[in-house]
Amino acid sequence: MHRILVIGSGGREHALAWRLARDPSVERVLVAPGNDGIAGAATCIPADERDAPAIAAIARRERVTLVVVGPEGPLAAGLANALRAEGIAVFGPDRAAAALETSKWAAKQIMTEAGIPTARGRAAGTVAEAIAALDAFPAPWVVKADGLAAGKVVLVSSVRAEAEAFIRACLEHGRFGVAGGRVVIEEHLAGEEASVMAVTDGERFALLPPARDYKRARDGDHGANTGGMGAYAPSEAVTQALEDEVARAIVAPTLAAMRRRGTPFRGTLYAGLMLTAAGAKVIEFNVRFGDPETEAVMPLVEGAFADLLAGAAAGRLDPGAVARGRGAAVSVAIVAEGYPESPGGGGVIVGLEALAADEDLAVFHAGTARENGRWVVRGGRAAHIVARGATREAARRRAYQAIASLGGSGWRVRGDIAVPAAGPGAGGASRGGAAAATATGGGSWR
Ligand code: AMP
Ligand code: GLY
């Protein structure tokens, strides 16, 4: 039996804990530090998620058989190295392998070396180099701060002055701190985005259902980039043939390149893809489960998910441990009213408990807190409302019906998550409400 400690405190960790707790082979799920909402589903233990000695002490005290690391910060800080050195099984890459996310330029070099389809790019450490690089690409320009930074580190703009101002902000004004000490300028890719997550032991891997993330703050893909306003899975744009291509041309050669470099990648390799006319190309790698993709994907993962992760950690992953559930899931983020520009808290969400009675709904908490018997918004992304349905449209309607039943103030959602793109057949998407189809996916969520 597994005793699993999940590290992190967001909606992704709530979804992971929720899914692991449903696994018959899991005896106990602990989350450090977790949050007030997660505390309803798992035991939360206060801890600094980067404090390796403290996490190791919890793992030993609780006789944990596997630590699953949620966010990139602790991985970049070497939490997985430290736990492995103590003989503790951990799902998540070592610090060196986390470079696939912590440096966009390192990732680009690994992709180039391994022949992985991605946007052409150039790195620049000075404003003059960066401006020269802009000249090498046509508009719209894509400029990225190289390292890890909370918040917006990518600018996509057809306004040359904006691109130059972003470069100056990164390289001269220290925006993003060390993360902006180098910028990457790359070719703009057009197409639909998709997120593919591979759970891997460094060599073997299993792909989770492909997902679609909505990064922009406002309906119609307007507004600033955010941590993600919602997601759905599976993404129909990722056909079986495309998935096979991603496995063959992106995931397998990336893992091989990491092994060759002596930094094998164990954990979740997340590929943010652009589905271009010339095939799938990598926009970015993450070295962990995507957020909010995980909230939409977990309800669709059937089988022994804990065994899959434990196998990956032990270097003997069994891709057959999990299967895909039928139907679709849609996740909509409830965010602080002013997110992302002024993500401050103060709002209240009323009615979340009532949703728990519906077995096709789940609420995954991120930036909420329980105060005086109410769910208050601490800031940023507060909670994710996830609905499952026989089809994406059924799940979408169920999610928005649930949101319509909520009250309170100081929060908002995007209204167009999982709405089919404009075109033939798009009309039905705007009907909603009482006529929503009843979900008939796989087994019960409970
Ligand atoms: P990233 O943080 O690298 O995922 O970038 C954030 C968002 O910027 C992506 O989800 C894309 O929407 C956009 N983006 C990044 N790189 C490119 C590119 N080369 N071409 C077009 N859009 C991009
Ligand atoms: N949804 C994108 C990410 O997790 O970074």
Side-chain angles (χ1 to χ4, degrees):
M1 294 291 274
H2 300 286
R3 294 172 63 89
I4 300 184
L5 172 62
V6 177
I7 305 300
S9 62
R12 165 184 51 209
E13 287 75 25
H14 195 169
L16 289 168
W18 174 92
R19 177 60 186 81
L20 289 165
R22 267 158 188 74
D23 214 304
S25 68
V26 173
E27 180 190 324
R28 188 125 203 260
V29 181
L30 304 143
V31 186
N35 63 43
D36 291 351
I38 298 176
T43 304
C44 292
I45 303 177
D48 173 346
E49 59 192 29
R50 294 179 194 226
D51 184 345
I55 304 283
I58 294 169
R60 275 194 298 267
R61 189 181 73 223
E62 301 290 340
R63 292 176 291 114
V64 158
T65 58
L66 178 67
V67 177
V68 176
V69 184
E72 65 279 11
L75 295 168
L79 178 61
N81 305 56
L83 295 179
R84 280 192 192 106
E86 298 259 337
I88 297 168
V90 51
F91 180 81
D94 282 348
R95 186 209 309 254
L100 279 176
E101 176 168 358
T102 57
S103 166
K104 290 181 190 291
W105 185 239
K108 189 68 81 187
Q109 287 175 307
I110 292 165
M111 285 189 263
T112 306
E113 167 192 314
I116 288 155
T118 183
R120 285 177 299 115
R122 280 169 60 165
T126 66
V127 172
E129 280 167 16
I131 304 262
L134 284 185
D135 290 334
F137 297 102
W141 291 283
V142 179
V143 187
K144 305 184 176 187
D146 182 49
L148 268 192
K152 186 177 160 191
V153 292
V154 177
L155 178 92
V156 180
S157 176
S158 294
V159 181
R160 172 81 180 212
E162 259 177 36
E164 293 188 7
F166 186 82
I167 287 167
R168 290 208 161 80
C170 289
L171 297 179
E172 281 181 349
H173 308 308
R175 191 164 163 200
F176 311 125
V178 284
R182 176 162 65 182
V183 295
V184 178
I185 286 131
E186 64 180 43
E187 171 195 12
H188 181 261
L189 301 174
E192 179 167 340
E193 289 184 45
S195 311
V196 171
M197 295 188 272
V199 171
T200 177
D201 64 3
E203 192 168 349
R204 289 161 291 258
F205 58 90
L207 298 187
L208 300 180
R212 168 72 199 274
D213 174 23
Y214 289 77
K215 286 206 169 71
R216 299 293 193 111
R218 307 278 164 183
D219 285 24
D221 277 339
H222 296 296
N225 264 323
T226 71
M229 296 293 293
Y232 66 82
S235 158
E236 298 92 342
V238 183
T239 59
Q240 187 60 54
L242 194 53
E243 208 175 304
D244 294 345
E245 179 193 321
V246 170
R248 182 188 55 75
I250 293 174
V251 177
T254 301
L255 297 178
M258 296 304 281
R259 290 195 302 273
R260 267 199 311 277
R261 287 175 159 239
T263 56
F265 184 93
R266 283 166 289 189
T268 299
L269 178 65
Y270 164 119
L273 304 174
M274 191 69 88
L275 309 180
T276 74
K281 297 192 178 182
V282 176
I283 298 176
E284 65 163 346
F285 281 129
N286 291 324
V287 298
R288 45 154 180 97
F289 290 103
D291 193 352
E293 289 92 334
T294 301
E295 287 87 322
V297 165
M298 283 302 116
L300 301 177
V301 175
E302 291 183 352
F305 184 55
D307 286 348
L308 184 77
L309 302 188
R316 44 177 164 74
L317 175 130
D318 171 14
V322 292
R324 291 188 186 178
R326 281 178 292 148
V330 170
S331 177
V332 181
I334 295 181
V335 302
E337 187 109 63
Y339 180 72
E341 290 84 3
S342 41
V348 178
I349 314 171
V350 177
L352 290 175
E353 281 82 2
L355 303 183
D358 186 329
E359 65 170 30
D360 285 316
L361 288 177
V363 178
F364 296 133
H365 287 260
T368 58
R370 192 76 177 152
E371 284 179 13
N372 302 321
R374 303 190 309 173
W375 286 113
V376 302
V377 176
R378 279 189 291 125
R381 292 186 291 182
H384 303 259
I385 306 296
V386 183
R388 191 172 66 164
T391 62
R392 192 222 297 183
E393 180 57 10
R396 184 190 73 79
R397 290 185 189 186
R398 190 69 199 88
Y400 280 106
Q401 249 180 7
I403 287 163
S405 76
L406 299 175
S409 61
W411 58 267
R412 67 179 182 86
V413 298
R414 251 181 84 156
D416 63 347
I417 304 301
V419 170
S430 57
R431 294 195 300 269
T438 313
T440 56
S444 163
W445 280 16
R446 268 158 248 277

Coordinates of all heavy atoms in Angstrom, one line a residue, residues 213 215 227 270 284 286 288-293, ligand 2:
D213 N -5.2 24.5 -22.5 CA -5.1 25.5 -21.5 C -5.5 26.8 -22.0 O -5.3 27.1 -23.2 CB -3.7 25.5 -21.0 CG -3.4 26.5 -19.9 OD1 -4.3 27.0 -19.3 OD2 -2.2 26.9 -19.8
K215 N -4.7 30.6 -21.4 CA -3.7 31.4 -20.6 C -4.2 32.9 -20.5 O -3.8 33.5 -19.5 CB -2.4 31.4 -21.3 CG -1.6 30.1 -21.2 CD -0.1 30.3 -21.3 CE 0.6 29.0 -20.8 NZ 0.5 27.9 -21.8
G227 N -1.7 32.5 -15.1 CA -1.3 31.1 -14.8 C -2.2 30.1 -15.5 O -1.8 28.9 -15.5
Y270 N 6.2 17.9 -19.4 CA 5.1 18.6 -19.9 C 5.5 19.4 -21.2 O 6.5 20.2 -21.1 CB 4.6 19.6 -18.9 CG 3.6 20.7 -19.4 CD1 2.3 20.8 -18.8 CD2 4.0 21.7 -20.3 CE1 1.5 21.8 -19.3 CE2 3.1 22.7 -20.7 CZ 1.9 22.7 -20.2 OH 1.0 23.7 -20.6
E284 N 7.2 25.3 -25.1 CA 7.9 25.3 -23.9 C 7.8 23.9 -23.3 O 6.9 23.1 -23.5 CB 7.3 26.3 -22.8 CG 5.9 25.9 -22.4 CD 5.4 26.6 -21.1 OE1 6.3 27.2 -20.4 OE2 4.2 26.5 -20.9
N286 N 7.7 22.1 -19.4 CA 7.7 22.2 -18.0 C 8.1 20.9 -17.4 O 8.0 19.8 -18.1 CB 6.3 22.6 -17.5 CG 5.9 24.0 -17.9 OD1 6.8 24.9 -17.9 ND2 4.6 24.2 -18.2
R288 N 6.9 19.3 -14.7 CA 6.0 19.0 -13.6 C 4.6 19.0 -14.3 O 4.4 19.3 -15.4 CB 6.0 20.1 -12.6 CG 6.0 21.5 -13.4 CD 5.5 22.6 -12.7 NE 5.6 23.8 -13.6 CZ 4.6 24.2 -14.3 NH1 3.5 23.6 -14.3 NH2 4.8 25.3 -15.1
F289 N 3.6 18.6 -13.5 CA 2.2 18.6 -14.0 C 1.8 20.0 -14.3 O 2.1 20.9 -13.5 CB 1.3 18.0 -13.0 CG 1.4 16.5 -12.8 CD1 2.1 16.0 -11.7 CD2 0.9 15.6 -13.7 CE1 2.2 14.6 -11.5 CE2 1.1 14.2 -13.5 CZ 1.7 13.7 -12.4
G290 N 1.1 20.2 -15.4 CA 0.6 21.5 -15.7 C -0.6 21.9 -14.8 O -1.3 21.1 -14.3
D291 N -0.7 23.2 -14.6 CA -1.8 23.8 -13.8 C -2.4 24.9 -14.6 O -1.7 25.8 -15.0 CB -1.2 24.3 -12.5 CG -2.2 24.6 -11.4 OD1 -3.4 24.6 -11.8 OD2 -1.8 25.0 -10.3
P292 N -3.6 24.8 -15.1 CA -4.7 24.0 -14.6 C -5.0 22.7 -15.4 O -6.1 22.1 -15.2 CB -5.9 25.0 -14.8 CG -5.6 25.7 -16.0 CD -4.1 25.9 -16.1
E293 N -4.1 22.3 -16.3 CA -4.4 21.0 -17.1 C -4.7 19.9 -16.1 O -5.6 19.0 -16.4 CB -3.2 20.7 -18.0 CG -3.1 21.6 -19.2 CD -2.1 22.8 -18.9 OE1 -2.0 23.1 -17.7 OE2 -1.5 23.3 -19.8
Ligands
GLY2 N1 -0.6 25.5 -17.7 C1 0.7 25.8 -18.0 C2 1.6 25.6 -16.8 O1 1.4 24.8 -16.0 O2 2.7 26.3 -16.8

